[in-house]
Amino acid sequence: MKKWFSLYLFAFSFLIFSQTTKNYNINGTSRKAIIYEPTVKSDKVPVVFVFHGHGGNANFVSRRIDIQNYYKDALVIFMQGLPGRKVPGIDPNGTMNGWQIFTDDLGGRDIKFFDDVLADIHKAYKIDDSRIYLIGHSNGARFVNVLWKKRGEKITAICSASAQGGEMISGAVPISVWMYIGKNDKIVSPQNQELSIPIVKSNLGISMAGKTGGDKTIFKGKNNTELVIQSSDASHEFPKQSLQDIADFFRKHIKN
């Protein structure tokens, strides 16, 4: 019993020390990120950036979208937004944390944050630039699409849940995309989210029908890209039950 307890304490300590909270000075503003180091070592490290929804924070999303427990050889970075994005009926004064939703709003502050964190981790880790992945929920998903449009050449694949890119992503470089849509979403209507599907298909050069299984339809795109459309009867939430599938989706896509 004593030996078991000692092993438990060792494992628990390892988990604590593999997590780092880091602050970045972005144009005079302090920005926060929580970084989980890989628990499975590899020569070159894949990276997963995670972006919370409006009103969220890095601490909460690290528990809610705990991709670090499913993609254990990846460096996982939970980014934290800032106030300033006004949302009618939810945050009319813009006092909650959020992200830019267009490529040129809020002074490009969040794109700059991403750029600086990506540059910083290259100094401390042997990053595999062919395996850079993004996950976003709600407002964070919309920002993931902003990054696809503006930094698509650096990104391998994204998971965009409960908000999509719309016309903004027209002409974005082909990457692999996992889109999640809740059929009972009362915050971002599923009908509006579905309008993004033909735009994503055009970006990926998809012309053939997809293969449906369960709640997912999978399409093959050019340059070995893939589109997964997942739809469920849920509301405005992240599909936590699909984290293992999302991690596996990331693993199999490597930028040429």
Side-chain angles (χ1 to χ4, degrees), residues 21-93:
T21 299
K22 189 164 185 178
N23 292 309
Y24 294 84
N25 187 314
I26 311 296
N27 296 333
T29 300
S30 181
R31 304 297 303 265
K32 174 182 175 180
I34 297 176
I35 301 172
Y36 281 82
E37 293 189 350
T39 56
V40 176
K41 302 301 180 183
S42 57
D43 292 337
K44 280 195 166 184
V45 182
V47 183
V48 182
F49 288 87
V50 184
F51 301 88
H52 59 74
H54 192 91
N57 59 64
N59 288 308
F60 174 80
V61 77
S62 70
R63 298 188 299 272
R64 180 59 184 162
I65 308 178
D66 57 331
I67 191 71
Q68 70 273 19
N69 291 321
Y70 299 87
Y71 198 169
K72 295 184 179 182
D73 50 331
L75 185 73
V76 180
I77 305 173
F78 295 93
M79 308 281 273
Q80 184 158 302
L82 288 175
R85 161 63 52 206
K86 297 180 180 180
V87 181
I90 298 175
D91 184 17
N93 297 316

Side-chain angles (χ1 to χ4, degrees), residues 179-223:
M179 298 174 66
Y180 171 76
I181 301 171
K183 297 177 184 177
N184 292 301
D185 195 327
K186 305 301 182 185
I187 296 177
V188 183
S189 76
Q191 293 79 16
N192 283 343
Q193 293 187 57
E194 288 165 359
L195 294 175
S196 296
I197 294 174
I199 300 170
V200 176
K201 287 183 176 179
S202 177
N203 288 348
L204 274 56
I206 294 170
S207 57
M208 303 293 288
K211 182 178 180 180
T212 299
D215 61 354
K216 303 174 188 68
T217 302
I218 301 173
F219 301 85
K220 300 296 183 181
K222 61 185 177 183
N223 301 336

Side-chain angles (χ1 to χ4, degrees), residues 114-247:
F114 171 79
D115 288 345
D116 281 19
V117 175
L118 184 60
D120 182 66
I121 60 175
H122 275 85
K123 300 173 185 176
Y125 305 93
K126 292 182 178 179
I127 299 300
D128 187 345
D129 286 308
S130 69
R131 294 188 291 167
I132 306 292
Y133 310 103
L134 312 181
I135 297 176
H137 175 238
S138 191
N139 178 208
R142 174 69 183 198
F143 179 58
V144 160
N145 281 275
V146 170
L147 288 174
W148 178 15
K149 179 68 174 183
K150 296 296 289 183
R151 297 293 185 266
E153 75 284 353
K154 297 181 178 181
I155 298 166
T156 306
I158 65 171
C159 171
S160 176
S162 303
Q164 312 304 331
E167 290 292 341
M168 177 189 65
I169 57 172
S170 293
V173 300
I175 63 172
S176 293
V177 178
W178 182 298
M179 298 174 66
Y180 171 76
I181 301 171
K183 297 177 184 177
N184 292 301
D185 195 327
K186 305 301 182 185
I187 296 177
V188 183
S189 76
Q191 293 79 16
N192 283 343
Q193 293 187 57
E194 288 165 359
L195 294 175
S196 296
I197 294 174
I199 300 170
V200 176
K201 287 183 176 179
S202 177
N203 288 348
L204 274 56
I206 294 170
S207 57
M208 303 293 288
K211 182 178 180 180
T212 299
D215 61 354
K216 303 174 188 68
T217 302
I218 301 173
F219 301 85
K220 300 296 183 181
K222 61 185 177 183
N223 301 336
N224 296 316
T225 57
E226 189 175 41
L227 168 62
V228 176
I229 300 174
Q230 180 184 14
S231 181
S232 77
D233 291 328
S235 56
H236 190 74
E237 60 189 50
F238 186 87
K240 185 175 175 65
Q241 73 282 359
S242 297
L243 275 170
Q244 185 63 67
D245 290 340
I246 293 166

